[in-house]
């Protein structure tokens, strides 16, 4: 037996060019033999794997590429070999050695294979022209157009403009016939030719519905048969490409109302009778296709109401119904005379499926249809929107595919959340259930959607929602378990019975209000309970749940976006509310350590102070209480006080307020830097120590009676950084940076007038006004060099 010689165990990407050349030579010899057999098939399969499974393009010999084309187009070549040749040529495309042409190919199956190669070559227009030319002629006996419709679908996806209007009219007429006039009899089984095969042929049986009843109307994709005829296959293929075809070519002519239609009022919405033109008048191809497509979609909706005998038929029913509604939407956009018929029909359909959870996905295209056409039809669709936004997220938040499609629907119609419709504007708490349960896949969608949900009326409630998002995930988990059968409530790894306690609390009046508020379906800014702290503690045993942890990881991203968007519209009153809530909620977060570390709410104080500097004076009591706690000193909170507590920003700033803040922050800095050999030194970020020192210096520069106190404190920092208790906590670089900062600040205070200018600059942005996070301001360096010149240098 002739051996190919290429080891199947050798990874294809490791094959060297010389080995590949020898291999193609052997395959070439097999293809040029009298009758290429299994060895040729095996060689082509291995060659296809070799050229396909590689990170870089493979180049084949030009003569071998020519041989592949010859074998592909030869009527004597076995079908399997033709398919493999086409697959290899597609992998090689674009290829300069390929001279394949489809102009003379008559066989539809071969034309389909050759077209796939030419499309990979980029010859879309040539393929489209040839396919339409073949379709408009009567095909020879034994040929079928079913091999060409997938090619045509690829053509219109790649380059819709490659077909002329005349060609699209030809295809539209064909599609209308294939949709409406497929055979209603089942196809005949091909005789096997075996010993028991009977020469007599049976009468073809009628097609049936999914519930087994004999079909009494025309064939659709939901019709059932043991064997399908060629025109039935064309019917199925036509429906699969119908929506894209209508989008590309269905609306090029002007849309005009049919005067005989009477706005569709007198026509039965369930009628399957096609619209009949006046005597001697024929519908244009596009209009006729729309008419047949509309009938087809109506019949699909009727068929979806039947109880399927097989589960897969039930799944197909739902998919076809969704596609049918989308197609009806397109038809109504292209011809408004269909709107009234479609509205009445879809209202009946909605009332039938709105309570059926498996059909929930179909409610989205129905709602989209009414969003597009309800004004034209002058119908009230609020009930449809209310059901969609109230019931579906609350009941089916755990369905991942529905969650994605629902949020995508909201993104596509994001303008709804900026209009006056209360149904959409009040539904955002429900939308966050999708994010809480499916946070990793939906985070990018919510990043796009969140700006449309935010406005002065929703900002406060959404702020709470974001902070409570992990808690919402835990509550949804309990809600699902509470609705499940009792046997499923036994969770492994819960010896303390915490799950049972939560399930009992879910039904208990003491926690009922908190659960209801957290799981609310619409906005309730004034109905929030005084505190959700007990509920957060109750649900704390779920803090380690992977779903809860994943949800918590998305919150910092959304919070950053939240403050960036709010900054675009917030006024002083809203900013003050946010600051108060920000300070209150800083210690009211779900008990996830990483979550509490990532969500540093105090760091947003600086962002809000920049927007409304007067808030430091207006909320001095709240900020003083917050910054006076050691646990709240992170990185930028004290810096905000030192930067904006100034008469430059608010004339109401008094010496008494400056002194109160100074004394509070002085106590904090003393607490974290005092030397206590027994208790040790409180661990605090070196940056926080530097920021506190700078803040105290700024406040002293504005109230110079405080200068001696801060200067004395700064002079003790050398002792602090040299203490063994401190050196065991901080790195040498951090301690050196703290000491440098203390020295430079102390030097600056030796010149009070300069310190006042540096730390209380005019409102205009100057070089000295900017706070540099990674180093001291330039002014401190200049003063230090002036007071402590380097050895050997001349004083300035």
């Amino acid at each position: 037996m002739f051996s190919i010689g290429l080891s199947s165990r050798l990874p294809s990407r490791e094959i060297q060019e010389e080995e590949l050349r020898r291999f193609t030579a052997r395959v070439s010899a097999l293809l040029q033999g009298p009758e290429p057999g299994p060895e040729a098939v095996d060689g082509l399969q291995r060659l296809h794997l070799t050229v396909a499974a590689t990170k870089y393009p493979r180049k084949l010999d030009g003569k071998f590429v020519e041989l592949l084309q010859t074998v592909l187009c030869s009527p004597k070549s076995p079908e399997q070999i033709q398919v493999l040749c086409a697959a290899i040529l597609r992998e090689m495309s674009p290829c300069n050695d390929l001279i394949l042409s489809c102009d003379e190919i008559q066989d539809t199956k071969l034309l389909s294979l050759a077209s796939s190669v030419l499309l990979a070559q980029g010859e879309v227009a040539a393929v489209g022209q040839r396919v339409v030319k073949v379709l408009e002629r009567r095909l020879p006996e034994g040929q079928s157009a079913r091999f060409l419709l997938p090619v045509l679908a690829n053509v219109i996806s790649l380059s819709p403009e490659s077909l002329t209007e005349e060609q699209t009219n030809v295809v539209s007429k064909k599609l209308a016939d294939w949709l409406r006039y497929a055979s209603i009899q089942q196809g005949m089984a091909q005789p096997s030719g075996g010993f028991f095969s009977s020469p007599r042929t049976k009468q073809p049986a009628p097609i049936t519905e999914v519930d087994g009843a004999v079909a009494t109307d025309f064939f659709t994709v939901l019709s059932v048969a043991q064997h399908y005829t060629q025109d039935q296959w064309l019917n199925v293929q036509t429906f699969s490409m119908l929506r894209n075809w209508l989008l590309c070519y269905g609306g090029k002519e002007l849309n005009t109302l049919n005067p005989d239609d009477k706005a569709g009022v007198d026509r039965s919405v369930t009628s399957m009778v096609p619209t009949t033109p006046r005597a001697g008048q024929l519908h244009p191809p596009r209009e006729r296709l729309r008419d047949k497509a509309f009938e087809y979609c109506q019949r699909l909706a009727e068929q979806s109401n039947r109880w399927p005998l097989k589960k897969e038929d039930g799944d197909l029913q739902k998919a076809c119904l969704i596609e049918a509604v989308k197609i009806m939407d397109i038809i109504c956009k292209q011809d408004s005379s269909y709107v009234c018929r479609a509205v009445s029909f879809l209202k009946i359909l909605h009332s039938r499926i709105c309570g059926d959870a498996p059909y929930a996905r179909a409610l989205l295209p129905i709602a989209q249809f009414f969003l597009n056409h309800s004004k034209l039809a002058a119908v009230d669709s609020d009930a449809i929107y209310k059901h969609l936004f109230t019931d579906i997220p609350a009941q089916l938040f755990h369905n991942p595919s529905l969650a994605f499609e629902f949020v995508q629907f909201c993104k596509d119609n994001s303008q709804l959340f900026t209009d006056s419709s209360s149904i959409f504007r009040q539904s955002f708490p429900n939308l966050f259930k999708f994010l809480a349960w499916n946070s990793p896949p939906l985070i990018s969608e919510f990043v796009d959607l969140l700006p449309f949900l935010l406005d002065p009326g929703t900002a406060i409630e959404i702020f709470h929602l974001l902070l409570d998002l992990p808690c919402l995930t835990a509550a949804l988990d309990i809600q699902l378990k509470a609705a499940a059968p009792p046997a499923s409530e036994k969770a492994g790894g819960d010896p303390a019975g915490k799950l049972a306690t939560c399930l009992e609390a879910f039904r208990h009046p003491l926690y009922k209000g908190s659960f209801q508020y957290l799981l609310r379906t619409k906005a309730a800014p004034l109905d929030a309970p005084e505190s959700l702290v007990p509920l957060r503690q109750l649900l704390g045993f779920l803090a380690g749940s992977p779903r809860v942890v994943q949800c918590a990881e998305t919150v910092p991203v959304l919070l950053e976006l939240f403050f960036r968007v709010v900054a675009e519209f917030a006024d002083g009153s809203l900013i003050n509310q946010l600051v108060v809530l920000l300070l209150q909620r800083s210690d009211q977060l779900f008990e996830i350590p990483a979550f509490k570390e990532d969500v540093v709410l105090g760091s947003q104080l600086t962002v809000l102070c920049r927007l409304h500097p007067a808030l430091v004076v207006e909320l001095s009591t709240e900020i003083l209480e917050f910054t006076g706690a050691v646990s709240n000193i992170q990185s930028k909170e004290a810096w905000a006080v030192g930067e904006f507590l100034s008469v430059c920003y608010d004339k109401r700033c008094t010496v008494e307020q400056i002194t109160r803040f100074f004394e509070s922050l002085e106590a904090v800095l003393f607490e974290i830097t005092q030397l206590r050999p027994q208790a040790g030194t409180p661990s605090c970020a070196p940056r926080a120590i530097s920021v506190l020192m700078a803040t105290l210096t700024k406040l002293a520069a504005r109230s110079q009676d405080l200068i001696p106190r801060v200067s004395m404190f700064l002079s003790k920092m050398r002792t602090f950084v040299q203490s063994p208790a401190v050196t065991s906590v901080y790195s040498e670089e951090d301690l050196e940076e703290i000491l440098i900062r203390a020295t430079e600040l102390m030097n600056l205070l030796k010149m009070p007038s300069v310190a006042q200018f540096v730390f209380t600059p005019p409102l205009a942005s100057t070089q000295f006004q900017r706070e540099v996070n990674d180093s001291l301001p330039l002014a401190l360096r200049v003063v230090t060099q002036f007071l402590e010149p380097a050895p050997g240098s001349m004083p300035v």
Side-chain angles (χ1 to χ4, degrees):
M1 181 178 290
F2 187 72
S3 175
I4 297 296
L6 183 64
S7 173
S8 60
R9 290 178 293 181
L10 183 65
S12 57
R13 65 187 58 180
E14 295 182 5
I15 297 173
Q16 302 301 316
E17 292 299 325
E18 179 60 26
E19 185 181 3
L20 179 62
R21 187 189 63 77
R22 293 195 303 269
F23 179 63
T24 55
R26 297 187 184 107
V27 174
S28 176
L30 290 171
L31 291 177
Q32 296 180 71
E35 291 185 5
E39 292 183 53
V41 171
D42 181 66
L44 288 172
Q45 287 175 337
R46 296 192 182 194
L47 180 59
H48 177 250
L49 177 63
T50 301
V51 297
T54 181
K55 293 180 179 180
Y56 52 90
R58 289 287 197 181
K59 183 172 178 59
L60 298 180
D61 181 73
K63 291 185 178 180
F64 183 70
V65 172
E66 183 179 348
L67 175 61
L68 291 177
Q69 297 174 71
T70 302
V71 174
L72 169 63
C73 297
S74 172
K76 298 181 180 180
S77 299
E79 181 179 346
Q80 187 177 10
I81 287 183
Q82 287 180 316
V83 170
L84 287 169
C85 288
I88 295 171
L89 291 173
R90 283 197 302 271
E91 290 295 336
M92 300 304 301
S93 298
C95 176
N96 294 331
D97 296 325
L98 203 148
I99 55 173
L100 186 65
S101 173
C102 61
D103 292 341
E104 304 300 326
I105 300 178
Q106 302 296 327
D107 183 82
T108 54
K109 189 180 293 186
L110 178 57
L111 179 58
S112 173
L113 287 174
S115 296
S116 67
V117 178
L118 292 172
L119 290 177
Q121 282 284 103
E123 300 181 23
V124 182
V127 170
Q129 302 292 323
R130 180 58 182 167
V131 169
V132 174
K133 189 174 182 180
V134 173
L135 286 176
E136 67 180 334
R137 295 201 304 257
R138 185 178 181 87
L139 293 175
E141 187 70 24
Q143 298 292 309
S144 174
R146 60 177 290 199
F147 300 107
L148 300 183
L149 285 189
V151 178
L152 188 61
N154 285 332
V155 169
I156 63 176
S157 297
L158 294 171
S159 179
E161 66 279 1
S162 61
L163 300 183
T164 66
E165 183 173 357
E166 182 180 356
Q167 291 173 324
T168 59
N169 284 335
V170 169
V171 178
S172 293
K173 183 177 182 302
K174 292 279 187 180
L175 296 179
D177 290 339
W178 290 330
L179 274 180
R180 183 60 180 84
Y181 301 114
S183 172
I184 59 173
Q185 299 295 323
Q186 297 192 34
M188 298 299 297
Q190 295 296 326
S192 62
F195 178 78
F196 293 101
S197 61
S198 172
R200 293 186 298 174
T201 58
K202 299 179 181 180
Q203 291 296 323
I207 60 171
T208 62
E209 304 288 1
V210 291
D211 58 0
V214 175
T216 58
D217 214 327
F218 60 88
F219 180 90
T220 72
V221 66
L222 286 177
S223 299
V224 179
Q226 291 294 322
H227 305 282
Y228 293 95
T229 62
Q230 292 296 318
D231 60 343
Q232 289 169 352
W233 282 116
L234 286 169
N235 180 283
V236 173
Q237 289 179 321
T238 298
F239 178 68
S240 70
M241 63 180 288
L242 180 59
R243 177 154 57 108
N244 200 16
W245 182 269
L246 290 174
L247 286 172
C248 291
Y249 308 115
K252 288 189 176 181
E253 79 273 23
L254 293 176
N255 296 332
T256 56
L257 286 172
N258 184 356
D260 294 336
D261 199 9
K262 304 295 184 185
V265 175
D266 297 329
R267 299 189 58 170
S268 170
V269 295
T270 58
S271 173
M272 297 299 173
V273 180
T275 304
T276 305
R278 291 194 298 265
Q281 181 183 6
L282 296 176
H283 283 311
R286 291 194 186 93
E287 185 177 333
R288 183 170 179 271
L289 177 59
R290 283 198 294 263
D291 191 64
K292 300 304 179 186
F294 194 86
E295 291 179 31
Y296 195 97
C297 292
Q298 286 182 303
R299 170 142 164 75
L300 286 177
E302 184 274 328
Q303 288 178 298
S304 69
N305 194 31
R306 296 176 178 270
W307 189 261
L309 299 178
K310 299 179 180 179
K311 180 185 180 300
E312 51 268 28
D313 286 341
D315 296 336
L316 183 61
Q317 279 179 306
K318 300 174 184 65
C320 288
L321 183 61
I322 293 171
E323 185 72 5
V325 175
K326 291 180 179 180
I327 290 173
M328 293 176 80
D329 187 17
I330 295 170
I331 292 172
C332 290
K333 287 179 181 178
Q334 296 174 353
D335 189 341
S336 57
S337 66
Y338 288 91
V339 170
C340 289
R341 294 163 57 192
V343 164
S344 301
F345 182 81
L346 291 179
K347 275 206 164 186
I348 296 173
L349 175 63
H350 180 270
S351 64
R352 173 165 66 83
I353 68 173
C354 65
D356 195 350
Y359 277 93
R361 289 179 58 207
L363 298 177
L364 292 172
I366 292 177
Q368 186 68 63
F369 176 91
F370 281 97
L371 285 173
N372 295 338
H373 305 289
S374 59
K375 289 185 178 179
L376 178 63
V379 295
D380 184 7
S381 307
D382 282 355
I384 293 175
Y385 308 144
K386 184 176 181 180
H387 173 265
L388 180 68
F389 278 85
T390 302
D391 297 341
I392 300 304
Q395 298 169 4
L396 300 172
F397 60 87
H398 49 84
N399 185 324
S401 60
L402 175 64
F404 177 80
E405 292 182 18
F406 201 107
V407 176
Q408 193 66 42
F409 169 84
C410 294
K411 277 182 57 180
D412 294 341
N413 299 280
S414 52
Q415 189 61 37
L416 295 172
F417 299 99
T418 57
D419 291 339
S420 58
S421 177
S422 60
I423 294 174
F424 302 106
R425 298 190 63 75
Q426 294 180 4
S427 64
F428 62 84
N430 243 0
L431 298 181
F432 278 89
K433 293 178 183 177
F434 286 129
L435 177 63
W437 196 259
N438 309 277
S439 48
L442 291 183
I443 180 63
S444 61
E445 278 68 30
F446 261 85
V447 166
D448 295 333
L449 184 60
L450 185 61
F452 294 98
L453 302 179
L454 282 169
D455 63 26
T458 63
I460 298 298
E461 189 171 358
I462 289 180
F463 176 68
H464 284 296
L465 274 170
L466 291 175
L467 294 181
D468 289 327
L469 206 59
C471 190
L472 176 59
T473 306
L476 291 171
D477 193 7
I478 296 299
Q479 182 187 30
L480 281 180
K481 289 181 169 62
S488 65
E489 293 183 1
K490 297 178 181 179
D494 183 31
K498 295 179 181 178
L499 176 58
T501 302
C502 279
L503 291 172
E504 183 180 349
F506 184 77
R507 307 178 180 98
H508 196 281
L510 182 63
Y511 290 95
K512 187 175 181 180
S514 296
F515 270 110
Q516 286 179 342
Y517 177 73
L518 198 57
L519 299 172
R520 65 195 182 278
T521 60
K522 61 181 181 180
L526 302 179
D527 299 333
E530 292 184 359
S531 175
L532 290 176
V533 173
L535 185 59
R536 295 190 196 99
Q537 294 174 346
L538 179 71
L539 297 173
F541 83 100
L542 288 171
S545 165
R547 190 180 298 275
V548 174
V549 172
Q550 285 182 328
C551 175
E553 291 172 352
T554 67
V555 174
V557 176
L558 293 174
L559 273 178
E560 182 180 351
L561 174 63
F562 170 87
F563 284 104
R564 193 162 65 243
V565 174
V566 167
E568 298 175 2
F569 61 76
D571 57 9
S573 175
L574 177 58
I575 291 174
N576 282 4
Q577 291 182 65
L578 283 172
V579 169
V580 172
L581 292 174
L582 182 147
L583 300 179
Q584 291 175 351
R585 290 298 308 265
S586 62
D587 60 347
Q588 297 179 15
L589 299 174
F590 201 51
E591 290 296 329
I592 304 176
F595 176 61
K596 300 184 77 169
E597 289 179 8
D598 293 338
V599 180
V600 183
L601 293 179
S603 63
Q604 297 297 338
L605 182 61
T606 301
V607 177
L608 298 176
C609 284
R610 291 187 187 279
L611 297 175
H612 185 54
L615 70 83
V616 179
V617 173
E618 295 170 353
L619 302 175
S620 59
T621 301
E622 292 85 352
I623 297 176
L624 188 63
E625 181 180 353
F626 179 80
T627 57
V630 174
S631 59
N632 291 333
I633 297 298
Q634 300 293 340
S635 59
K636 294 184 179 180
E637 298 85 341
W639 179 85
V641 172
E643 181 70 16
F644 297 104
L645 187 63
S646 168
V647 71
C648 293
Y649 292 106
D650 195 322
K651 299 297 183 183
R652 296 170 292 179
C653 179
T654 64
V655 173
E656 289 77 11
Q657 285 177 323
I658 292 175
T659 302
R660 287 172 58 202
F661 272 99
F662 180 90
E663 291 175 347
S664 176
L665 295 176
E666 181 186 39
V668 172
L669 185 58
F670 176 78
E671 175 69 17
I672 63 179
T673 59
Q674 66 174 320
L675 302 178
R676 297 178 297 180
Q678 295 180 350
T681 303
S683 178
C684 184
R687 174 176 174 74
I689 297 175
S690 297
V691 169
L692 279 169
M693 291 190 301
T695 300
L696 292 174
T697 305
K698 290 180 181 182
L699 296 178
R702 295 166 198 164
S703 179
Q704 297 188 3
D705 291 343
L706 302 173
I707 290 179
R709 291 170 62 176
V710 71
S711 295
M712 181 178 296
F713 197 100
L714 293 173
S715 65
K716 295 179 180 179
M717 292 306 295
R718 182 174 296 278
T719 305
F720 168 75
V721 299
Q722 292 176 350
S723 167
V726 175
T727 55
S728 64
V729 177
Y730 301 120
S731 68
E732 184 177 346
E733 293 77 8
D734 290 337
L735 294 175
E736 183 180 0
E737 187 63 31
I738 291 173
L739 184 59
I740 292 175
R741 171 63 65 97
T743 302
E744 295 183 335
L745 290 172
M746 189 167 53
N747 287 337
L748 186 59
L749 288 176
K750 293 177 181 178
M751 297 182 291
S753 58
V754 176
Q756 187 174 17
F757 169 74
V758 172
F759 289 134
T760 310
L763 291 181
S765 178
T766 66
Q767 182 177 5
F768 298 109
Q769 184 182 2
R770 304 186 189 96
E771 177 72 16
V772 182
N773 293 333
D774 298 326
S775 63
L776 289 172
L778 178 61
L780 300 185
R781 298 182 185 277
V782 173
V783 172
T784 299
Q785 292 176 1
F786 181 77
L787 295 177
E788 298 181 2
S793 62
M794 295 294 293
V796 180

